[in-house]
PDB file of all heavy atoms in Angstrom:
ATOM      1  N   ASP A 349       5.179   4.357  -0.662  1.00 98.00           N
ATOM      2  CA  ASP A 349       5.957   3.277  -1.119  1.00 98.00           C
ATOM      3  C   ASP A 349       7.195   3.144  -0.105  1.00 98.00           C
ATOM      4  O   ASP A 349       7.526   4.163   0.523  1.00 98.00           O
ATOM      5  CB  ASP A 349       6.404   3.275  -2.526  1.00 98.00           C
ATOM      6  CG  ASP A 349       7.216   4.466  -2.885  1.00 98.00           C
ATOM      7  OD1 ASP A 349       8.444   4.484  -2.550  1.00 98.00           O
ATOM      8  OD2 ASP A 349       6.740   5.485  -3.516  1.00 98.00           O
ATOM      9  N   TYR A 358       5.789   9.346   0.420  1.00 98.00           N
ATOM     10  CA  TYR A 358       4.294   9.534   0.643  1.00 98.00           C
ATOM     11  C   TYR A 358       3.739  10.539  -0.355  1.00 98.00           C
ATOM     12  O   TYR A 358       4.396  11.536  -0.698  1.00 98.00           O
ATOM     13  CB  TYR A 358       3.955   9.961   2.067  1.00 98.00           C
ATOM     14  CG  TYR A 358       4.454   9.015   3.159  1.00 98.00           C
ATOM     15  CD1 TYR A 358       5.703   9.061   3.749  1.00 98.00           C
ATOM     16  CD2 TYR A 358       3.591   7.985   3.505  1.00 98.00           C
ATOM     17  CE1 TYR A 358       6.037   8.149   4.792  1.00 98.00           C
ATOM     18  CE2 TYR A 358       4.004   7.046   4.516  1.00 98.00           C
ATOM     19  CZ  TYR A 358       5.175   7.186   5.117  1.00 98.00           C
ATOM     20  OH  TYR A 358       5.581   6.291   6.150  1.00 98.00           O
ATOM     21  N   SER A 386     -12.796  11.890   4.243  1.00 96.00           N
ATOM     22  CA  SER A 386     -13.672  11.365   3.267  1.00 96.00           C
ATOM     23  C   SER A 386     -12.915  11.137   1.887  1.00 96.00           C
ATOM     24  O   SER A 386     -13.219  10.168   1.209  1.00 96.00           O
ATOM     25  CB  SER A 386     -14.953  12.169   3.061  1.00 96.00           C
ATOM     26  OG  SER A 386     -14.595  13.531   2.643  1.00 96.00           O
ATOM     27  N   CYS A 394      -2.294  -3.325  -2.827  1.00 98.00           N
ATOM     28  CA  CYS A 394      -0.805  -3.603  -2.463  1.00 98.00           C
ATOM     29  C   CYS A 394      -0.020  -3.818  -3.704  1.00 98.00           C
ATOM     30  O   CYS A 394      -0.588  -4.497  -4.702  1.00 98.00           O
ATOM     31  CB  CYS A 394      -0.683  -4.773  -1.493  1.00 98.00           C
ATOM     32  SG  CYS A 394       0.987  -5.172  -0.931  1.00 98.00           S
ATOM     33  N   ARG A 400      15.276  -7.748 -11.472  1.00 88.00           N
ATOM     34  CA  ARG A 400      16.260  -8.744 -11.737  1.00 88.00           C
ATOM     35  C   ARG A 400      17.242  -8.205 -12.735  1.00 88.00           C
ATOM     36  O   ARG A 400      16.931  -7.661 -13.758  1.00 88.00           O
ATOM     37  CB  ARG A 400      15.551 -10.067 -12.220  1.00 88.00           C
ATOM     38  CG  ARG A 400      14.617 -10.720 -11.194  1.00 88.00           C
ATOM     39  CD  ARG A 400      13.909 -11.883 -11.843  1.00 88.00           C
ATOM     40  NE  ARG A 400      13.081 -12.433 -10.943  1.00 88.00           N
ATOM     41  CZ  ARG A 400      11.688 -12.229 -10.831  1.00 88.00           C
ATOM     42  NH1 ARG A 400      11.207 -11.241 -11.512  1.00 88.00           N
ATOM     43  NH2 ARG A 400      10.920 -12.809  -9.896  1.00 88.00           N
TER      44      ARG A 400
END
Side-chain angles (χ1 to χ4, degrees):
D349 61 80
Y358 297 94
S386 58
C394 182
R400 300 178 177 89

